[in-house]
Structure formats: structure tokens, C-alpha cells
Amino acid sequence: MTPQATANSLFGDFTVKDEIKLGGEFDKMVRNRLPIILDPQIEGYVKHLVAKVAKHIPPQPFPITATVIRNNAMNAFAVPGGYVYVYTGLILNMKHEAELAAVIGHELAHVSLRHVARRMEKMKMVNFASMLGTLAGMLVGIAGGGSNMGNLGSAIAVGSMGGATSAYLNYTQENEREADHLGMNYLVAAGYNPQSMIDGFKVMKQRQWHISNTNIPTYLSTHPGLDSRIGYLQDRFKRMPPEYFERKDDDAAFFKVQTLIRARLTSADVALAYYMAIPENERTCLDHLGLGIVYTRMKQYKKAELSFNQAHELCPDDTLILREQGRFFFTIGEMDKASPLLREAYLREPRDAMTLFFIARIEGTRKNYKQAILTMRRVAEMVPHDQEIHYHLGRMLGESGHYFEAHSQLAYAALYGHDMKKAQFHLRKAEGLAKTKKQRDELTKLQETINPKPPEEEGNGKLE
């Protein structure tokens, strides 16, 4: 078996330190160019799941960082330095959490085995600019959210179970076999049924016949030996304790996240067709919740209210339903109905940033700015890089007469929304309003964030 990564690993000139640096720079590009999911319910779930599986990998010289990308393709991939990316399409199309955990385990195996780092070393790509340039070039043309978005996994060539290969960094069959076996170890250690890895393979194979060519996981076409991989994993089952296969799925959180992705992030027409295909007497509270969200998006508010009420009647204590029903009433301007629902959701789950966000906005509409600002600042601490949170915080500060803080927050909002012209505008406004030492310190931080210093030039052209 290939040795695990350690802090002192060195393959020629490509060290773990270099790997961390390269991964960090690539992650910045992804966040600047691709639609990252910041919904705390979705992002938090995926981060928790990745951490649950990663707990069982050998100690790594870098943290494992999980990110969710809004994309319909069934894909997940990893890059050097412990960065793992999961597409919403993968979450939506898996049938159980364990199958998603199997993909994550496979990706973490690639990370712990440093497969990409080893491929780069074999390519003798020890110049930082050439490495980053290769990865950056693979993002060209797919950042705009068009039809080519589904090819990201192919482009970056670092995904694997549902991801991809490329002429530059494709995994070998031996790499995939190693990641299958090691990923299975992680999956089982995390408490999941080993059968779920094969079930995940079968879902991908089945989806091959139901999705367009641009969204077929490249893995399926470039590695046609999927059946043989299922075969050798099944051979392993014969040597595993029978009780491993008696483990049951706990999909409560998984199904909630699927509902949010389907109802809020996919085409409203497609989501509506999905829910309408379910006989009314068989719809669960999450099905009614999904319908309520879809009808809200379609501005069919009477139908939406009916669906939310049905969801609430079936599951009156469900925190997500309370939150989303409160959010609906906020959307249609019925604050007196929204407020008690959101506050009940907050009492049940005080860490839900989305609930606090709408509680703050209600206080803002009531011009209770002191409480609104205090609450929205808490939300910004919980979700620090969300454009909408900083925008509404800036508006509240401006309406209450705190103009320096207002322009500072609006500058952050523009920055996170990738509108540099507007970010610079609000920065200049803030510069003219900074009076106190505290404000000048905050201004310095804002200036460094919006106009970071360029990285120092590499003296010898190689990674250090």
C-alpha cells in the first residue's frame, strides 16, 4: 500500500508545504469563480459528514476542508492540501447518506494517499506558476454557470468515484483501486454499512442512461471497469464481520438537505414535477415542505401557504419546517405570523444562522435597529463570507445612522458578491468616514481584504 502523507513527506521538489500552498490558491480560484453554497443547513451538513469520515483517516499535515458547489453533475473531487468539493447534484441523486459518505471516503483516500501530488511530481511540475496555471486554465469557460459547468470534474481531473480524469492528472486504475479499498475502510470505521459503496456505484451507473452527455460522470466513460470494481469490493465483503451489513441508514438530516437542494436550488418546474408525481396521500412532511418552497419561488402564495401548513400539521416540532414556514410569511410580508415561528425554531436550534438572519430582518423592518444589528452581527460571525448577510447588516447600520460601519459592511457584501467596482466605492466612502481608532483599525482590515498585497516573487522559480 502506498505510504500515507506525513509532515516530512518529500517527493523530489514537491513537498507537503507546497501541496498546502497550491491547494489554498486553487481554493481561492474556486470560490471566486464558481457558485459556492453557503446555506448553513447544506454546508454545515456536508462539513459534518466529511469530518465524520475524515476522523478515521491517518493524521494529515493539513486540515480537511469541505466545500459544496452548486452544480447538477454527480461529482465530487479533491485537490492537494486536503480540499474536498461536493456537488449538489451528487447529494441530490444519492439515495442514502451512506452512499454519499462512500464517495467522500473515496475522495479522502485520494487525499491521504497524495495521489494528485504524486502525479504532479511525476510530471516534474515543480514550478508553482506552472502548477497553478494548469489548474487555473482548466477552470476557463466553466465559471459562468453555463452548460459547461457540468464538466468541471473533467476539467480539473482530480475527482474520481464520480469525478474524472484528464490528459494532465488522470488517476491510474491502481490509484482508483487503492482509493476504493482505503475509502471502504474509512466508511466502515465511520459506522456505515459497507454495501453502500457498491450501492453508490450502481446509482452512478444507472444515472449514466438518464442524463445528458455533459453531465455523465467522466469516470464512467474513462474507467469502464466499473463492474470489476464492484466485483473486487464484493469479494472483500466475504471477509467482513456479518454485523457490518446489519447497520441501518439514518437519513433524517440527509433527506432534509436533499429537500432544500431540490426545492430551492434546482429548476422550479423540475422540482414541482418531482413533488407532483408523488400521490398526495403518500407525501411526507418534507414533500409538503418542498412544495411550499417551490410554490413560493413561483409566487403561487396560496398554494405555498397550504403546503407549509400541511407540512407543519404532519411534523409540528420539526425545526426546519418551522424555519421555512416563518421564512415564507416573512417573504409575503406577514411579520406577525413569521416572528413566532422563527423564534420557536430558534429556541429549538439556537445555532441555525438562517433562522437568526430572518429574525434580524424582522427586527429591522420594525425599526428596532439596535436588536436587529446585534442579531445580524451574530449571523455574520457564524457565516462570515455571505454577501446577503453583510448587505442587510450594512443597510441596517445606514438606516440607523452608523455610516462608517454601513459602508464597511456594504464593501464586504460587494467583495463577496465579486463586484470589485462597488467594493472600491464603499471602501472610499468608509475611508472618508473613519474617525476613531477603532474605525481606523477596521478600515485597515477592510483595505487589506479588498486590496491584498501581491505574493512575493519566487526567487528560484520553484515552490518553497
Side-chain angles (χ1 to χ4, degrees):
M1 180 62 70
T2 307
Q4 302 293 324
T6 70
N8 296 319
S9 292
L10 178 66
F11 300 99
D13 292 321
F14 192 58
T15 67
V16 170
K17 181 180 177 181
D18 301 332
E19 185 178 345
I20 293 170
K21 182 178 179 181
L22 181 64
E25 291 301 315
F26 179 78
D27 187 63
K28 289 179 184 177
M29 290 193 299
V30 168
R31 293 179 181 280
N32 286 332
R33 304 182 189 188
L34 300 180
I36 304 301
I37 298 297
L38 295 176
D39 183 315
Q41 190 92 12
I42 300 171
E43 182 193 37
Y45 169 78
V46 172
K47 286 187 173 182
H48 174 76
L49 184 58
V50 170
K52 181 179 179 180
V53 180
K55 181 180 178 181
H56 302 282
I57 72 175
Q60 301 296 307
F62 38 68
I64 301 299
T65 304
T67 300
V68 186
I69 296 175
R70 182 175 179 175
N71 189 297
N72 292 331
M74 287 184 65
N75 202 6
F77 62 90
V79 298
Y83 293 90
V84 178
Y85 302 89
V86 178
Y87 284 17
T88 52
L90 181 67
I91 302 170
L92 193 59
N93 284 288
M94 288 301 175
K95 296 178 180 179
H96 299 284
E97 177 180 283
E99 295 167 5
L100 180 59
V103 178
I104 290 168
H106 184 102
E107 295 304 325
L108 289 172
H110 282 304
V111 169
S112 65
L113 292 166
R114 296 188 75 228
H115 280 154
V116 175
R118 290 169 180 275
R119 297 294 294 171
M120 285 187 165
E121 174 58 25
K122 288 182 178 179
M123 293 159 56
K124 305 298 182 184
M125 291 180 64
V126 295
N127 180 281
F128 182 81
S130 66
M131 287 184 181
L132 188 59
T134 298
L135 294 179
M138 294 172 184
L139 287 174
V140 174
I142 59 177
S147 61
N148 287 332
M149 283 291 292
N151 292 327
L152 176 62
S154 308
I156 58 176
V158 283
S160 51
M161 191 169 178
T165 61
S166 109
Y168 296 102
L169 299 173
N170 61 305
Y171 289 134
T172 65
Q173 291 185 358
E174 182 61 24
N175 289 158
E176 297 294 6
R177 186 183 183 96
E178 288 177 336
D180 285 342
H181 284 295
L182 197 57
M184 176 70 79
N185 293 347
Y186 301 157
L187 182 72
V188 171
Y192 293 101
N193 190 319
Q195 178 64 37
S196 58
M197 180 170 278
I198 287 180
D199 291 342
F201 275 134
K202 290 179 178 178
V203 169
M204 291 178 179
K205 187 176 181 181
Q206 182 181 27
R207 288 290 293 166
Q208 182 178 12
W209 305 105
H210 297 288
I211 49 184
S212 66
N213 288 336
T214 58
N215 281 333
I216 291 175
T218 308
Y219 170 84
L220 294 176
S221 58
T222 55
H223 290 85
L226 191 59
D227 289 334
S228 67
R229 294 175 70 182
I230 290 174
Y232 64 63
L233 288 175
Q234 287 177 329
D235 287 340
R236 277 196 65 184
F237 290 170
K238 300 172 185 177
R239 302 187 295 275
M240 291 183 176
E243 56 266 26
Y244 285 4
F245 300 90
E246 297 172 3
R247 294 172 175 176
K248 304 298 182 183
D249 293 311
D250 180 4
D251 291 321
F254 174 72
F255 289 151
K256 286 183 180 181
V257 168
Q258 277 193 325
T259 298
L260 290 175
I261 292 173
R262 175 175 288 110
R264 199 175 296 287
L265 301 179
T266 62
S267 163
D269 290 337
V270 172
L272 180 61
Y274 171 87
Y275 289 116
M276 295 305 291
I278 303 171
E280 188 169 357
N281 62 344
E282 295 180 13
R283 289 174 192 161
T284 66
C285 55
L286 288 180
D287 294 330
H288 289 295
L289 173 64
L291 270 172
I293 294 172
V294 173
Y295 281 135
T296 303
R297 290 174 62 193
M298 301 176 78
K299 295 182 169 49
Q300 297 185 32
Y301 297 130
K302 289 185 178 180
K303 290 182 178 180
E305 184 171 0
L306 176 62
S307 295
F308 281 120
N309 288 341
Q310 289 173 315
H312 195 159
E313 288 172 8
L314 287 173
C315 300
D317 299 325
D318 189 287
T319 304
L320 179 61
I321 291 172
L322 290 168
R323 185 192 83 181
E324 291 299 318
Q325 190 175 23
R327 179 176 181 173
F328 163 72
F329 283 120
F330 174 88
T331 299
I332 63 174
E334 296 192 24
M335 304 303 167
D336 290 340
K337 290 184 178 180
S339 185
L341 288 164
L342 290 166
R343 292 191 179 278
E344 185 177 351
Y346 170 72
L347 290 174
R348 294 177 183 276
E349 182 47 81
R351 297 170 297 177
D352 190 321
M354 188 72 75
T355 299
L356 278 175
F357 174 76
F358 283 101
I359 288 175
R361 291 193 63 187
I362 288 174
E363 295 299 329
T365 62
R366 292 171 173 171
K367 301 191 184 303
N368 184 2
Y369 292 120
K370 183 177 180 179
Q371 186 59 49
I373 291 168
L374 181 64
T375 303
M376 195 63 84
R377 286 193 189 279
R378 286 181 58 196
V379 179
E381 290 175 359
M382 298 165 75
V383 189
H385 300 122
D386 186 274
Q387 174 189 6
E388 194 174 3
I389 292 169
H390 288 281
Y391 171 78
H392 286 289
L393 178 55
R395 289 288 301 271
M396 292 172 183
L397 287 162
E399 290 170 10
S400 60
H402 298 85
Y403 299 119
F404 168 76
E405 291 86 354
H407 283 293
S408 295
Q409 292 299 324
L410 291 172
Y412 281 117
L415 174 66
Y416 299 140
H418 311 302
D419 188 339
M420 293 307 299
K421 183 177 180 180
K422 187 173 290 185
Q424 294 288 356
F425 169 81
H426 287 293
L427 173 60
R428 290 193 296 272
K429 290 288 187 180
E431 288 171 342
L433 293 166
K435 306 297 181 185
T436 68
K437 182 181 183 304
K438 182 180 179 180
Q439 289 175 339
R440 288 193 292 271
D441 290 343
E442 176 58 35
L443 179 63
T444 299
K445 180 182 176 182
L446 178 62
Q447 290 169 330
E448 291 175 350
T449 303
I450 293 179
N451 299 313
K453 294 180 181 179
E456 295 182 5
E457 294 294 330
E458 301 291 349
N460 60 2
K462 294 186 177 182
L463 287 164
E464 296 178 355

